[in-house]
Amino acid sequence: MAGTVVFDLDGTLADTAGDLIGAANAVLARRGLAGLDPVGDAAIAFEGGRAMLRAGYARASAGMLIPPGAEDEDFPRLLDAYGAAIAVHTRLYPGVEDALSVLAADGHRLAVCTNKPEGLADSLLRALNIRDAFASLVGADTMPVRKPDPLPYREAVTRAGGEVGQSFLLGDTVTDVKTAASAQVKVALVSFGPEGPGISRLRPDAMLDHFDALPALARGWLG
């Protein structure tokens, strides 16, 4: 019996760090602040826009004052900058497209559940030419709550026409582990995301080293 495979987006389907950090750096530069490093700060990028801004503020030189409310002012600017250059450096991880095709051929429903705003997630998936592979997309602002609350995950499965009990989550962070636990489903984490193989410390139900192995994992878990 086929089921539903739910994907996180950033750090799971695609390496988006370069464009996320580029947007943050454009905003930080407006305040005369040094930017983040696209490689060294990649993990911060996957924590979200506000995390990148806070990291930039924390590195301000001595005597440089960050005004109260700066984060709330800069966050919409960051989103605008990101939306304007959303897929300049972003690339799908190797094997994504082939894995999605095999999963679909096996009869599985595919969904995305991300803490990226829905509109930006939709734009990115379209820019990467994989939006049509997914029966549903639930973003950070689709529901009143976001991951790790189980509601967005359950909604993603339901909108895809699936059943939560016959689904699992593929992600790359502790948020995804907590989401799966709250939704009472299995979780696999990718070893090629921002933290690399070290993410196995979170003890997911499985680790995925390459997308080539995902169809077999889905067959084992979902039939």
Side-chain angles (χ1 to χ4, degrees):
M1 177 181 179
T4 306
V5 183
V6 182
F7 297 81
D8 176 55
L9 177 48
D10 299 78
T12 299
L13 284 168
D15 183 353
T16 56
D19 291 321
L20 289 168
I21 288 177
N25 286 350
V27 175
L28 292 169
R30 292 182 56 171
R31 294 192 182 275
L33 299 173
L36 306 181
D37 183 278
V39 177
D41 293 321
I44 299 175
F46 293 122
E47 293 176 12
R50 291 182 181 274
M52 291 188 291
L53 292 173
R54 289 192 291 268
Y57 301 154
R59 298 175 190 180
S61 59
M64 182 173 287
L65 180 66
I66 305 299
E71 183 180 320
D72 289 336
E73 289 180 6
D74 287 344
F75 185 61
R77 295 169 180 164
L78 185 154
L79 294 180
D80 287 343
Y82 181 60
I86 200 167
V88 177
H89 304 290
T90 293
R91 297 292 181 270
L92 292 171
Y93 287 113
V96 167
E97 292 167 300
D98 287 344
L100 296 178
S101 295
V102 175
L103 289 169
D106 284 348
H108 298 301
R109 297 174 175 85
L110 307 179
V112 171
C113 184
T114 174
N115 277 349
K116 183 190 290 293
E118 182 181 344
L120 290 175
D122 184 78
S123 295
L124 178 56
L125 291 172
R126 292 186 187 282
L128 296 173
N129 296 313
I130 60 170
R131 177 64 183 90
D132 290 344
F134 300 100
S136 70
L137 164 62
V138 172
D141 51 357
T142 306
M143 311 295 292
V145 293
R146 61 175 65 188
K147 297 187 302 184
D149 190 285
L151 183 60
Y153 179 89
R154 292 171 181 159
E155 185 70 13
V157 174
T158 299
R159 291 188 182 190
E163 298 179 2
V164 173
Q166 190 67 9
S167 72
F168 72 88
L169 175 61
L170 181 67
D172 67 297
T173 67
V174 65
T175 299
D176 296 309
V177 173
K178 291 180 177 179
T179 301
S182 64
Q184 298 183 313
V185 298
K186 289 184 176 180
V187 61
L189 296 180
V190 299
S191 65
F192 42 80
E195 189 170 331
I199 199 69
S200 62
R201 65 184 173 78
L202 298 178
R203 300 183 180 277
D205 297 293
M207 290 290 298
L208 189 75
D209 296 326
H210 193 283
F211 267 96
D212 289 352
L214 182 57
L217 178 66
R219 291 176 193 133
W221 282 358
L222 302 176

